[in-house]
């Protein structure tokens, strides 16, 4: 062989070995673990820490929040490992063999959500400035352990964590998904399940699309007919449903415990048929509409010229603000084709002021930039870049949800069972391969609060169906939101994603087994 050929041979052999090597064969190289989102920095040290029947979780200090975070980790580890890891409090570094969670508050690079994870033969030490950082670090610990750690029944060990140091913090402060519970209603258990899935990939926002033409899904005590009538059905004529305020608060608390903020949306002035059917006075002619179970958009509008419409909206916003601890309320504003633009503009301006009067900031779809974007209003770019650019020109920040790249309801390809394709087909690589800070030249990184991947539910009504569209694309959106663009690459991500196949299987997730990925499902049967 000539030297050139030899070099080529070695390179090909190396490339093949990278392609076919199974990370399970290199258990003591932390940097080979398949973490999603990819951490900012991983330094491997060789060797490993083993969870044993002596291992406990020590949390620094006595705070209830620290204990709760420790308990969250214990509850994830105990069922599958069969161990009885307990949470203990301490003021000192614990003895060897344990996991230690502590708050330092001094490491400014890590910010509010970052963490440092140090794993040696003797101990696992997770540190952060804030509890949210510890919570995200816990997801990393779970992902370093074998996939079967996610199963609900006892599995065989060993339960090894590779030695090394991970320093990690997010690129964007807003990393979210949206669930449309209006077109098809999803019950509280489905929502909680989704929140757990978001947490596993370090996402921190769940936007709930609570009203649309087909249904009104949140109890408003001053207007009980909204749910009594407007919550009664859904796309296809199913029975629909709604959340009582108590149930909504339960969702909010469940999300809060996982460092996820709930952002509720009441879409207006369009997408309001369910309200128009339930409250007659919202119609200009005073007559209630029929309930709607189809999938058309753009045909409904609140009567923007009636003063009573604004009294109604004020009640809705007041009640919603009172049960929403997060800083944002979403007021929709999209596809108001049945509202004249000269009515739309003053309407959106007035409703923004009402949200602010109730102590919240406004989030709205990009059409809001046709009106005056009030200070602190965030524009959610989904369809028209020119709208988002208008928003930026008015000083607004942008939330990136471009339909062509980030819509979870878009089909993967023409053979997909569920989903739509009006914006694009989004295969797993296409969903991953874009950079929010680079998509629209006029929208720069400093204008962007983050990324959100919405799931519209015209075509999906059951958890399994929703999961088929959400997974595995959600993992890519989580990584886009967390990992710096310069560290992201599809070829490397594809390998890590392949290894999440068995994690998703262990978690009982009905993911779409894209042919673009060589799924690894060895460990979990
Ligand atoms: C457009 S996205 C809509 C929704 C639909 C979705 C279907 C947006 C702000 N409006 O009403 O559900 O397309 O992909």
């Amino acid at each position: 062989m000539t030297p050139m050929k030899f070099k080529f041979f070695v390179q090909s052999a190396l490339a093949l070995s990278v392609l076919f090597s199974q990370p399970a064969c290199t258990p003591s190289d932390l940097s080979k673990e398949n973490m999603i989102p990819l951490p900012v920095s991983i330094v491997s040290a060789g060797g490993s820490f083993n969870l044993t029947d002596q291992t406990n979780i020590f949390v620094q200090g006595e705070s209830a929040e620290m204990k709760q975070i420790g308990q969250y980790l214990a509850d994830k580890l105990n069922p599958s490992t069969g161990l009885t890891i307990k949470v203990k409090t301490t003021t000192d570094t614990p003895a060897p063999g344990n996991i230690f969670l502590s708050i330092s508050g001094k490491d400014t690079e890590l910010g509010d959500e970052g963490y440092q994870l140090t794993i040696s033969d003797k101990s696992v030490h997770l540190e952060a400035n804030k509890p949210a950082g510890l919570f995200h670090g816990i997801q990393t610990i779970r992902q370093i352990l074998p996939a079967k750690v996610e199963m609900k029944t006892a599995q065989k060990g060993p339960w090894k964590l590779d030695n090394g140091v991970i320093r990690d913090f997010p690129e964007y402060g807003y990393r979210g998904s949206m669930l449309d519970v209006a077109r098809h209603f999803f019950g509280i258990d489905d929502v909680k399940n989704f929140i757990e899935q978001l947490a596993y990939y370090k996402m921190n926002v769940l936007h709930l699309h609570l009203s649309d033409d087909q249904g009104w899904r949140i109890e408003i005590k001053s207007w009980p007919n909204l749910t009594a009538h407007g919550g009664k059905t859904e796309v296809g004529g199913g029975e629909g449903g709604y959340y009582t305020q108590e149930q909504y608060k339960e969702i909010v608390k469940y999300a809060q415990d996982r460092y996820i903020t709930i952002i509720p949306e009441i879409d207006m002035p369009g997408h309001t048929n369910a309200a128009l059917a339930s409250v007659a006075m919202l119609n200009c002619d005073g007559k209630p509409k029929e309930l709607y179970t189809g999938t058309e958009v753009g045909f409904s509008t609140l009567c923007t010229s009636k003063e009573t419409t604004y009294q109604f909206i004020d009640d809705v916003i007041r009640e919603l603000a009172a049960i929403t601890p997060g800083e944002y309320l979403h007021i929709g504003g999209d596809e108001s084709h049945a509202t004249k633009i000269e009515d739309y503009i003053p309407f959106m301006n007035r409703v923004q002021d009402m949200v602010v009067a109730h102590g919240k900031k406004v989030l709205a779809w990009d059409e809001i930039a046709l009106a005056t974007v009030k200070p602190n209003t965030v524009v959610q770019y989904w369809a028209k870049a020119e709208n988002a650019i208008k928003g930026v020109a008015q000083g607004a920040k942008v939330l990136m949800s471009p339909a062509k790249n980030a819509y979870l309801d878009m089909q993967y390809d023409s053979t997909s069972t569920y989903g739509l394709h009006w914006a694009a087909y989004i295969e797993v690589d296409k969903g991953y391969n874009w950079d929010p800070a680079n998509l629209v030249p006029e929208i720069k990184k400093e204008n962007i609060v983050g990324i959100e991947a919405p799931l519209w539910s015209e075509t999906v009504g059951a958890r399994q169906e929703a999961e088929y569209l959400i997974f595995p694309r959600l993992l890519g959106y989580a990584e886009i939101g967390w990992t710096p663009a310069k560290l992201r690459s599809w070829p490397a991500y594809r390998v890590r994603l392949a290894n999440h196949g068995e994690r998703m299987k262990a978690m009982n997730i009905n993911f779409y087994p894209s042919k673009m990925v060589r799924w690894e499902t060895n460990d979990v049967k």
Side-chain angles (χ1 to χ4, degrees), residues 49-58 70-88 97-100 141 145 149 159 161:
F49 177 90
N50 263 280
L51 299 181
T52 69
D53 53 10
Q54 303 297 306
T55 306
N56 285 308
I57 297 167
F58 284 80
Q71 194 57 51
Y72 182 91
L73 177 58
D75 291 344
K76 293 294 171 198
L77 301 181
N78 285 337
S80 55
T81 60
L83 300 170
T84 48
I85 297 170
K86 287 183 205 59
V87 178
K88 305 187 172 188
N98 291 300
I99 299 172
F100 182 36
I141 293 176
L145 286 161
V149 78
W159 304 102
L161 288 144

mmCIF file of all heavy atoms in Angstrom, residues 49-58 70-88 97-100 141 145 149 159 161:
data_model
loop_
_atom_site.group_PDB
_atom_site.id
_atom_site.type_symbol
_atom_site.label_atom_id
_atom_site.label_comp_id
_atom_site.label_asym_id
_atom_site.label_seq_id
_atom_site.Cartn_x
_atom_site.Cartn_y
_atom_site.Cartn_z
ATOM 1 N N PHE A 49 -17.834 5.730 38.910
ATOM 2 C CA PHE A 49 -18.490 5.676 40.221
ATOM 3 C C PHE A 49 -19.626 4.676 40.113
ATOM 4 O O PHE A 49 -20.324 4.641 39.103
ATOM 5 C CB PHE A 49 -19.048 7.059 40.562
ATOM 6 C CG PHE A 49 -19.813 7.108 41.852
ATOM 7 C CD1 PHE A 49 -19.172 7.400 43.048
ATOM 8 C CD2 PHE A 49 -21.195 6.877 41.867
ATOM 9 C CE1 PHE A 49 -19.888 7.455 44.244
ATOM 10 C CE2 PHE A 49 -21.912 6.925 43.060
ATOM 11 C CZ PHE A 49 -21.259 7.213 44.250
ATOM 12 N N ASN A 50 -19.808 3.863 41.145
ATOM 13 C CA ASN A 50 -20.878 2.870 41.135
ATOM 14 C C ASN A 50 -21.939 3.185 42.177
ATOM 15 O O ASN A 50 -21.608 3.424 43.338
ATOM 16 C CB ASN A 50 -20.288 1.512 41.486
ATOM 17 C CG ASN A 50 -20.006 0.717 40.244
ATOM 18 O OD1 ASN A 50 -20.910 0.121 39.664
ATOM 19 N ND2 ASN A 50 -18.751 0.749 39.821
ATOM 20 N N LEU A 51 -23.204 3.164 41.764
ATOM 21 C CA LEU A 51 -24.272 3.241 42.774
ATOM 22 C C LEU A 51 -24.308 1.897 43.482
ATOM 23 O O LEU A 51 -24.315 0.849 42.821
ATOM 24 C CB LEU A 51 -25.631 3.482 42.105
ATOM 25 C CG LEU A 51 -25.841 4.747 41.286
ATOM 26 C CD1 LEU A 51 -27.282 4.765 40.749
ATOM 27 C CD2 LEU A 51 -25.587 5.997 42.110
ATOM 28 N N THR A 52 -24.328 1.901 44.807
ATOM 29 C CA THR A 52 -24.398 0.642 45.559
ATOM 30 C C THR A 52 -25.494 0.748 46.614
ATOM 31 O O THR A 52 -26.117 1.806 46.758
ATOM 32 C CB THR A 52 -23.076 0.350 46.310
ATOM 33 O OG1 THR A 52 -22.950 1.312 47.380
ATOM 34 C CG2 THR A 52 -21.873 0.457 45.385
ATOM 35 N N ASP A 53 -25.675 -0.317 47.361
ATOM 36 C CA ASP A 53 -26.698 -0.255 48.416
ATOM 37 C C ASP A 53 -26.262 0.628 49.591
ATOM 38 O O ASP A 53 -26.996 0.794 50.560
ATOM 39 C CB ASP A 53 -27.134 -1.658 48.860
ATOM 40 C CG ASP A 53 -25.949 -2.525 49.243
ATOM 41 O OD1 ASP A 53 -24.823 -1.970 49.341
ATOM 42 O OD2 ASP A 53 -26.139 -3.729 49.447
ATOM 43 N N GLN A 54 -25.050 1.172 49.482
ATOM 44 C CA GLN A 54 -24.577 2.131 50.502
ATOM 45 C C GLN A 54 -24.787 3.583 50.051
ATOM 46 O O GLN A 54 -24.576 4.501 50.838
ATOM 47 C CB GLN A 54 -23.064 1.945 50.753
ATOM 48 C CG GLN A 54 -22.654 0.547 51.172
ATOM 49 C CD GLN A 54 -23.289 0.174 52.491
ATOM 50 O OE1 GLN A 54 -23.164 0.893 53.475
ATOM 51 N NE2 GLN A 54 -24.014 -0.941 52.510
ATOM 52 N N THR A 55 -25.131 3.757 48.782
ATOM 53 C CA THR A 55 -25.211 5.129 48.246
ATOM 54 C C THR A 55 -26.451 5.862 48.759
ATOM 55 O O THR A 55 -27.555 5.322 48.738
ATOM 56 C CB THR A 55 -25.278 5.093 46.696
ATOM 57 O OG1 THR A 55 -24.177 4.339 46.209
ATOM 58 C CG2 THR A 55 -25.262 6.484 46.106
ATOM 59 N N ASN A 56 -26.244 7.093 49.207
ATOM 60 C CA ASN A 56 -27.370 7.970 49.527
ATOM 61 C C ASN A 56 -27.160 9.325 48.866
ATOM 62 O O ASN A 56 -26.067 9.608 48.361
ATOM 63 C CB ASN A 56 -27.522 8.134 51.048
ATOM 64 C CG ASN A 56 -28.118 6.876 51.659
ATOM 65 O OD1 ASN A 56 -29.158 6.384 51.209
ATOM 66 N ND2 ASN A 56 -27.431 6.320 52.652
ATOM 67 N N ILE A 57 -28.213 10.123 48.874
ATOM 68 C CA ILE A 57 -28.116 11.474 48.315
ATOM 69 C C ILE A 57 -28.077 12.449 49.483
ATOM 70 O O ILE A 57 -29.008 12.488 50.294
ATOM 71 C CB ILE A 57 -29.323 11.785 47.399
ATOM 72 C CG1 ILE A 57 -29.323 10.831 46.194
ATOM 73 C CG2 ILE A 57 -29.295 13.241 46.946
ATOM 74 C CD1 ILE A 57 -30.624 10.846 45.392
ATOM 75 N N PHE A 58 -27.010 13.211 49.577
ATOM 76 C CA PHE A 58 -26.892 14.235 50.618
ATOM 77 C C PHE A 58 -27.169 15.591 49.993
ATOM 78 O O PHE A 58 -26.589 15.923 48.963
ATOM 79 C CB PHE A 58 -25.491 14.227 51.231
ATOM 80 C CG PHE A 58 -25.287 13.077 52.182
ATOM 81 C CD1 PHE A 58 -24.995 11.808 51.706
ATOM 82 C CD2 PHE A 58 -25.415 13.274 53.554
ATOM 83 C CE1 PHE A 58 -24.823 10.738 52.571
ATOM 84 C CE2 PHE A 58 -25.248 12.209 54.438
ATOM 85 C CZ PHE A 58 -24.952 10.937 53.951
ATOM 86 N N GLY A 70 -33.514 16.421 45.803
ATOM 87 C CA GLY A 70 -32.844 15.148 46.108
ATOM 88 C C GLY A 70 -33.811 13.987 45.997
ATOM 89 O O GLY A 70 -33.498 12.929 45.430
ATOM 90 N N GLN A 71 -35.009 14.205 46.504
ATOM 91 C CA GLN A 71 -36.019 13.136 46.473
ATOM 92 C C GLN A 71 -36.441 12.821 45.038
ATOM 93 O O GLN A 71 -36.682 11.664 44.694
ATOM 94 C CB GLN A 71 -37.242 13.550 47.318
ATOM 95 C CG GLN A 71 -38.187 12.402 47.632
ATOM 96 C CD GLN A 71 -37.484 11.254 48.360
ATOM 97 O OE1 GLN A 71 -36.795 11.480 49.366
ATOM 98 N NE2 GLN A 71 -37.615 10.035 47.837
ATOM 99 N N TYR A 72 -36.487 13.847 44.209
ATOM 100 C CA TYR A 72 -36.832 13.630 42.787
ATOM 101 C C TYR A 72 -35.828 12.657 42.172
ATOM 102 O O TYR A 72 -36.200 11.688 41.489
ATOM 103 C CB TYR A 72 -36.811 14.973 42.037
ATOM 104 C CG TYR A 72 -37.201 14.875 40.573
ATOM 105 C CD1 TYR A 72 -38.522 15.039 40.172
ATOM 106 C CD2 TYR A 72 -36.241 14.621 39.589
ATOM 107 C CE1 TYR A 72 -38.892 14.948 38.832
ATOM 108 C CE2 TYR A 72 -36.600 14.531 38.246
ATOM 109 C CZ TYR A 72 -37.923 14.692 37.876
ATOM 110 O OH TYR A 72 -38.280 14.605 36.545
ATOM 111 N N LEU A 73 -34.549 12.874 42.467
ATOM 112 C CA LEU A 73 -33.516 11.978 41.921
ATOM 113 C C LEU A 73 -33.659 10.572 42.509
ATOM 114 O O LEU A 73 -33.631 9.579 41.773
ATOM 115 C CB LEU A 73 -32.110 12.550 42.197
ATOM 116 C CG LEU A 73 -30.937 11.679 41.732
ATOM 117 C CD1 LEU A 73 -31.005 11.394 40.226
ATOM 118 C CD2 LEU A 73 -29.596 12.357 42.073
ATOM 119 N N ALA A 74 -33.852 10.501 43.812
ATOM 120 C CA ALA A 74 -34.003 9.184 44.458
ATOM 121 C C ALA A 74 -35.190 8.432 43.843
ATOM 122 O O ALA A 74 -35.099 7.236 43.548
ATOM 123 C CB ALA A 74 -34.197 9.354 45.964
ATOM 124 N N ASP A 75 -36.280 9.149 43.616
ATOM 125 C CA ASP A 75 -37.480 8.508 43.055
ATOM 126 C C ASP A 75 -37.262 8.030 41.615
ATOM 127 O O ASP A 75 -37.958 7.128 41.150
ATOM 128 C CB ASP A 75 -38.677 9.476 43.085
ATOM 129 C CG ASP A 75 -39.151 9.741 44.506
ATOM 130 O OD1 ASP A 75 -38.778 8.972 45.416
ATOM 131 O OD2 ASP A 75 -39.885 10.736 44.702
ATOM 132 N N LYS A 76 -36.340 8.666 40.913
ATOM 133 C CA LYS A 76 -36.024 8.209 39.557
ATOM 134 C C LYS A 76 -35.117 6.981 39.600
ATOM 135 O O LYS A 76 -35.179 6.120 38.722
ATOM 136 C CB LYS A 76 -35.321 9.316 38.752
ATOM 137 C CG LYS A 76 -36.184 10.512 38.459
ATOM 138 C CD LYS A 76 -37.336 10.147 37.533
ATOM 139 C CE LYS A 76 -38.307 11.289 37.429
ATOM 140 N NZ LYS A 76 -39.611 10.864 36.910
ATOM 141 N N LEU A 77 -34.236 6.924 40.599
ATOM 142 C CA LEU A 77 -33.230 5.853 40.619
ATOM 143 C C LEU A 77 -33.719 4.576 41.301
ATOM 144 O O LEU A 77 -33.365 3.469 40.879
ATOM 145 C CB LEU A 77 -31.953 6.343 41.328
ATOM 146 C CG LEU A 77 -31.266 7.571 40.719
ATOM 147 C CD1 LEU A 77 -30.010 7.928 41.515
ATOM 148 C CD2 LEU A 77 -30.896 7.351 39.248
ATOM 149 N N ASN A 78 -34.505 4.716 42.347
ATOM 150 C CA ASN A 78 -34.819 3.533 43.164
ATOM 151 C C ASN A 78 -35.613 2.423 42.452
ATOM 152 O O ASN A 78 -35.235 1.256 42.566
ATOM 153 C CB ASN A 78 -35.509 3.958 44.460
ATOM 154 C CG ASN A 78 -34.512 4.561 45.441
ATOM 155 O OD1 ASN A 78 -33.309 4.286 45.358
ATOM 156 N ND2 ASN A 78 -34.993 5.391 46.350
ATOM 157 N N PRO A 79 -36.680 2.757 41.708
ATOM 158 C CA PRO A 79 -37.471 1.659 41.127
ATOM 159 C C PRO A 79 -36.649 0.758 40.206
ATOM 160 O O PRO A 79 -36.724 -0.467 40.303
ATOM 161 C CB PRO A 79 -38.566 2.383 40.338
ATOM 162 C CG PRO A 79 -38.656 3.737 40.957
ATOM 163 C CD PRO A 79 -37.277 4.071 41.428
ATOM 164 N N SER A 80 -35.844 1.336 39.332
ATOM 165 C CA SER A 80 -35.124 0.520 38.347
ATOM 166 C C SER A 80 -33.859 -0.107 38.920
ATOM 167 O O SER A 80 -33.500 -1.226 38.561
ATOM 168 C CB SER A 80 -34.772 1.372 37.130
ATOM 169 O OG SER A 80 -34.052 2.510 37.543
ATOM 170 N N THR A 81 -33.181 0.609 39.812
ATOM 171 C CA THR A 81 -31.940 0.038 40.367
ATOM 172 C C THR A 81 -32.256 -0.968 41.467
ATOM 173 O O THR A 81 -31.411 -1.786 41.817
ATOM 174 C CB THR A 81 -31.034 1.135 40.970
ATOM 175 O OG1 THR A 81 -31.759 1.792 42.026
ATOM 176 C CG2 THR A 81 -30.610 2.149 39.921
ATOM 177 N N GLY A 82 -33.448 -0.876 42.030
ATOM 178 C CA GLY A 82 -33.794 -1.751 43.144
ATOM 179 C C GLY A 82 -33.089 -1.334 44.431
ATOM 180 O O GLY A 82 -33.190 -2.021 45.450
ATOM 181 N N LEU A 83 -32.406 -0.199 44.402
ATOM 182 C CA LEU A 83 -31.724 0.297 45.603
ATOM 183 C C LEU A 83 -32.706 1.099 46.453
ATOM 184 O O LEU A 83 -33.821 1.398 46.024
ATOM 185 C CB LEU A 83 -30.540 1.184 45.204
ATOM 186 C CG LEU A 83 -29.452 0.504 44.352
ATOM 187 C CD1 LEU A 83 -28.463 1.533 43.820
ATOM 188 C CD2 LEU A 83 -28.727 -0.573 45.161
ATOM 189 N N THR A 84 -32.274 1.418 47.673
ATOM 190 C CA THR A 84 -33.129 2.242 48.533
ATOM 191 C C THR A 84 -32.361 3.503 48.915
ATOM 192 O O THR A 84 -32.066 3.748 50.079
ATOM 193 C CB THR A 84 -33.561 1.479 49.797
ATOM 194 O OG1 THR A 84 -32.384 0.879 50.361
ATOM 195 C CG2 THR A 84 -34.581 0.414 49.479
ATOM 196 N N ILE A 85 -32.023 4.266 47.877
ATOM 197 C CA ILE A 85 -31.276 5.512 48.069
ATOM 198 C C ILE A 85 -32.153 6.494 48.837
ATOM 199 O O ILE A 85 -33.311 6.701 48.499
ATOM 200 C CB ILE A 85 -30.894 6.090 46.686
ATOM 201 C CG1 ILE A 85 -29.958 5.112 45.973
ATOM 202 C CG2 ILE A 85 -30.288 7.476 46.820
ATOM 203 C CD1 ILE A 85 -29.690 5.448 44.512
ATOM 204 N N LYS A 86 -31.575 7.037 49.920
ATOM 205 C CA LYS A 86 -32.337 7.983 50.754
ATOM 206 C C LYS A 86 -31.766 9.381 50.619
ATOM 207 O O LYS A 86 -30.609 9.549 50.242
ATOM 208 C CB LYS A 86 -32.262 7.546 52.214
ATOM 209 C CG LYS A 86 -33.095 6.312 52.493
ATOM 210 C CD LYS A 86 -33.030 5.964 53.973
ATOM 211 C CE LYS A 86 -33.309 4.493 54.168
ATOM 212 N NZ LYS A 86 -32.348 3.617 53.444
ATOM 213 N N VAL A 87 -32.579 10.357 50.978
ATOM 214 C CA VAL A 87 -32.127 11.745 50.950
ATOM 215 C C VAL A 87 -31.797 12.176 52.368
ATOM 216 O O VAL A 87 -32.617 12.017 53.279
ATOM 217 C CB VAL A 87 -33.206 12.668 50.343
ATOM 218 C CG1 VAL A 87 -32.752 14.115 50.373
ATOM 219 C CG2 VAL A 87 -33.517 12.232 48.919
ATOM 220 N N LYS A 88 -30.585 12.681 52.559
ATOM 221 C CA LYS A 88 -30.157 13.145 53.881
ATOM 222 C C LYS A 88 -29.629 14.564 53.753
ATOM 223 O O LYS A 88 -29.171 14.955 52.674
ATOM 224 C CB LYS A 88 -29.052 12.224 54.406
ATOM 225 C CG LYS A 88 -29.481 10.773 54.424
ATOM 226 C CD LYS A 88 -28.468 9.892 55.085
ATOM 227 C CE LYS A 88 -29.079 8.500 55.222
ATOM 228 N NZ LYS A 88 -28.271 7.594 55.999
ATOM 229 N N GLY A 97 -18.679 7.542 48.480
ATOM 230 C CA GLY A 97 -19.726 6.594 48.078
ATOM 231 C C GLY A 97 -21.084 7.217 47.869
ATOM 232 O O GLY A 97 -22.030 6.536 47.491
ATOM 233 N N ASN A 98 -21.183 8.529 48.118
ATOM 234 C CA ASN A 98 -22.490 9.179 48.061
ATOM 235 C C ASN A 98 -22.600 10.214 46.934
ATOM 236 O O ASN A 98 -21.602 10.604 46.329
ATOM 237 C CB ASN A 98 -22.784 9.853 49.397
ATOM 238 C CG ASN A 98 -23.001 8.835 50.487
ATOM 239 O OD1 ASN A 98 -23.907 8.011 50.405
ATOM 240 N ND2 ASN A 98 -22.128 8.853 51.503
ATOM 241 N N ILE A 99 -23.839 10.646 46.742
ATOM 242 C CA ILE A 99 -24.129 11.745 45.808
ATOM 243 C C ILE A 99 -24.372 12.994 46.655
ATOM 244 O O ILE A 99 -25.084 12.932 47.658
ATOM 245 C CB ILE A 99 -25.382 11.424 44.964
ATOM 246 C CG1 ILE A 99 -25.141 10.156 44.132
ATOM 247 C CG2 ILE A 99 -25.774 12.600 44.084
ATOM 248 C CD1 ILE A 99 -26.382 9.627 43.412
ATOM 249 N N PHE A 100 -23.785 14.104 46.239
ATOM 250 C CA PHE A 100 -23.890 15.342 47.018
ATOM 251 C C PHE A 100 -24.426 16.464 46.129
ATOM 252 O O PHE A 100 -23.884 16.718 45.056
ATOM 253 C CB PHE A 100 -22.483 15.696 47.549
ATOM 254 C CG PHE A 100 -22.423 16.922 48.423
ATOM 255 C CD1 PHE A 100 -23.451 17.241 49.307
ATOM 256 C CD2 PHE A 100 -21.304 17.764 48.372
ATOM 257 C CE1 PHE A 100 -23.378 18.365 50.131
ATOM 258 C CE2 PHE A 100 -21.224 18.899 49.188
ATOM 259 C CZ PHE A 100 -22.262 19.190 50.066
ATOM 260 N N ILE A 141 -27.335 13.347 35.141
ATOM 261 C CA ILE A 141 -26.987 12.114 35.878
ATOM 262 C C ILE A 141 -27.810 10.946 35.352
ATOM 263 O O ILE A 141 -27.281 9.861 35.082
ATOM 264 C CB ILE A 141 -27.223 12.316 37.396
ATOM 265 C CG1 ILE A 141 -26.228 13.340 37.957
ATOM 266 C CG2 ILE A 141 -27.111 10.979 38.146
ATOM 267 C CD1 ILE A 141 -26.432 13.694 39.424
ATOM 268 N N LEU A 145 -26.369 7.309 33.234
ATOM 269 C CA LEU A 145 -26.637 5.924 33.661
ATOM 270 C C LEU A 145 -27.220 5.129 32.486
ATOM 271 O O LEU A 145 -27.714 5.713 31.516
ATOM 272 C CB LEU A 145 -27.597 5.933 34.854
ATOM 273 C CG LEU A 145 -26.948 6.380 36.170
ATOM 274 C CD1 LEU A 145 -27.997 6.815 37.185
ATOM 275 C CD2 LEU A 145 -26.067 5.264 36.743
ATOM 276 N N VAL A 149 -32.252 2.534 33.454
ATOM 277 C CA VAL A 149 -32.524 3.251 34.700
ATOM 278 C C VAL A 149 -33.894 3.930 34.629
ATOM 279 O O VAL A 149 -34.497 4.251 35.656
ATOM 280 C CB VAL A 149 -31.409 4.280 35.017
ATOM 281 C CG1 VAL A 149 -31.548 5.544 34.165
ATOM 282 C CG2 VAL A 149 -31.400 4.635 36.498
ATOM 283 N N TRP A 159 -24.658 -0.038 37.951
ATOM 284 C CA TRP A 159 -25.129 1.341 37.717
ATOM 285 C C TRP A 159 -23.942 2.283 37.820
ATOM 286 O O TRP A 159 -23.649 2.834 38.866
ATOM 287 C CB TRP A 159 -26.229 1.683 38.730
ATOM 288 C CG TRP A 159 -27.347 0.696 38.649
ATOM 289 C CD1 TRP A 159 -27.581 -0.350 39.499
ATOM 290 C CD2 TRP A 159 -28.351 0.615 37.631
ATOM 291 N NE1 TRP A 159 -28.684 -1.068 39.076
ATOM 292 C CE2 TRP A 159 -29.177 -0.493 37.930
ATOM 293 C CE3 TRP A 159 -28.649 1.380 36.488
ATOM 294 C CZ2 TRP A 159 -30.267 -0.860 37.141
ATOM 295 C CZ3 TRP A 159 -29.730 1.014 35.704
ATOM 296 C CH2 TRP A 159 -30.526 -0.090 36.028
ATOM 297 N N LEU A 161 -21.399 5.446 36.698
ATOM 298 C CA LEU A 161 -21.306 6.815 36.157
ATOM 299 C C LEU A 161 -19.843 7.057 35.827
ATOM 300 O O LEU A 161 -18.968 6.924 36.699
ATOM 301 C CB LEU A 161 -21.776 7.814 37.208
ATOM 302 C CG LEU A 161 -23.284 7.844 37.476
ATOM 303 C CD1 LEU A 161 -23.579 8.089 38.939
ATOM 304 C CD2 LEU A 161 -23.950 8.914 36.611
#
